[in-house]
Amino acid sequence: MLTSCTTVLFAHPELARAALVARPSGEHYLRLVEALLALLDEGGVPPGQAAWGVDVLLQYATAMAAEHAGQDRAADTQDDWDALTRAAHGLADGSAFTTDLLIGADGASSRIRPLLSAAVPAYTGVSFVEVDLLDADRRYPGSAAVIGGGFFFALDGGKGLIAHRETDGSLHVFVARKAPQDWITGIDFTDSDAAKAAVLAHLDGWDDSLRALVAEADGAFVSRHILALPTGHRWERIPGVTLLGDAAHLMSPFAGEGAAHSQAG
């Protein structure tokens, strides 16, 4: 089935290129998605993983067809594309290469985005510190009970603890704070004990069961400024080049939509 879909896209390269920058829809596309979901279900793939799998499989087929599309663009479009690829494909060793399709899926600090858009990520006013509690059910049963089997939030006064259980039995915890951008730059995260003390100070007055999510943390503390591109970020279409994922629509994680958009792009 996926081979047939790819064959059609190879025969209609402009359709493949358009599908990379627009969300496909319509009765036939929905039938294709439902058929793939049915096949994955028959193979015993859990529903959540099947939903992601369909997105990945169709994105792969579309990108492959677009990459191998014909070279029958108009001369002025080809000239623009050649200039774009020369600008974009400089490598660290000074060499360069040319390609028919350039997909900027290189994250928040995308090197491809400036070729399409002048937008730059801005600090949202929120910083995160990430920690892990390994083998939590055995080593930290109290914290494991607090988080439970789902997703956990504890929010108060511009501060928060956000946590979930990983498939390996560990707990992944985000300590969040509305703060100036220099808050976490003032913490030495190369010293785990010092970082733990600084983050715990941010949670003074919180219940011990919540503070334990930081106090019992294993390993390194990882700091993150939460950045976002402007809402509604768009760019003028240039054939053969586009953005995916955080390069296209970097956002805060609170809505849980970033990864979904990058797959459906």
Side-chain angles (χ1 to χ4, degrees), residues 2-265:
L2 200 61
T3 300
S4 298
C5 176
T6 306
T7 300
V8 172
L9 292 172
F10 265 81
H12 302 279
E14 291 303 325
L15 179 62
R17 293 192 188 101
L20 283 173
V21 295
R23 184 189 297 272
S25 60
E27 177 183 352
H28 298 300
Y29 180 77
L30 291 176
R31 274 207 221 112
L32 173 62
V33 171
E34 289 172 354
L36 287 172
L37 284 171
L39 287 172
L40 291 171
D41 181 64
E42 289 178 12
V45 179
Q49 294 180 23
W52 284 104
V54 167
D55 283 337
V56 172
L57 288 170
L58 292 176
Q59 190 71 30
Y60 173 78
T62 303
M64 184 170 61
E67 181 179 4
H68 291 84
Q71 306 261 340
D72 56 351
R73 292 181 292 275
D76 57 344
T77 302
Q78 184 64 55
D79 290 343
D80 289 344
W81 176 243
D82 288 344
L84 177 64
T85 54
R86 283 194 298 272
H89 290 128
L91 301 179
D93 61 4
S95 62
F97 65 93
T98 300
T99 182
D100 290 327
L101 176 65
L102 177 62
I103 300 176
D106 48 345
S109 301
S110 172
R111 295 179 59 195
I112 306 305
R113 188 192 304 117
L115 301 172
L116 295 170
S117 167
V120 294
Y123 180 54
T124 63
V126 177
S127 294
F128 277 8
V129 178
E130 296 184 39
V131 299
D132 291 286
L133 283 71
L134 306 179
D135 193 12
D137 287 321
R138 183 179 65 85
R139 299 176 63 216
Y140 311 114
S143 291
V146 168
I147 302 307
F151 207 72
F152 173 87
F153 285 89
L155 308 172
D156 181 63
K159 305 175 183 179
L161 287 168
I162 306 168
H164 63 271
R165 182 184 295 268
E166 299 281 8
T167 56
D168 63 1
S170 65
L171 303 178
H172 194 66
V173 181
F174 302 88
V175 183
R177 182 183 177 190
K178 287 185 177 179
Q181 197 165 0
D182 61 0
W183 171 60
I184 56 176
T185 59
I187 299 174
D188 181 7
F189 286 97
T190 64
D191 183 338
S192 293
D193 290 336
K196 181 179 292 189
V199 174
L200 281 171
H202 153 71
L203 297 174
D204 278 347
W206 285 47
D207 190 84
D208 287 344
S209 65
L210 300 177
R211 288 171 55 83
L213 296 173
V214 176
E216 296 175 341
D218 298 293
F221 283 54
V222 179
S223 62
R224 300 193 187 280
H225 289 119
I226 304 304
L227 308 177
L229 285 165
T231 301
H233 176 230
R234 301 177 67 85
W235 57 90
E236 293 297 324
R237 178 178 181 269
I238 296 179
V241 60
T242 192
L243 303 172
L244 289 177
D246 283 351
H249 40 64
L250 179 67
M251 64 182 72
S252 70
F254 306 114
E257 295 182 351
H261 283 185
S262 71
Q263 296 293 340

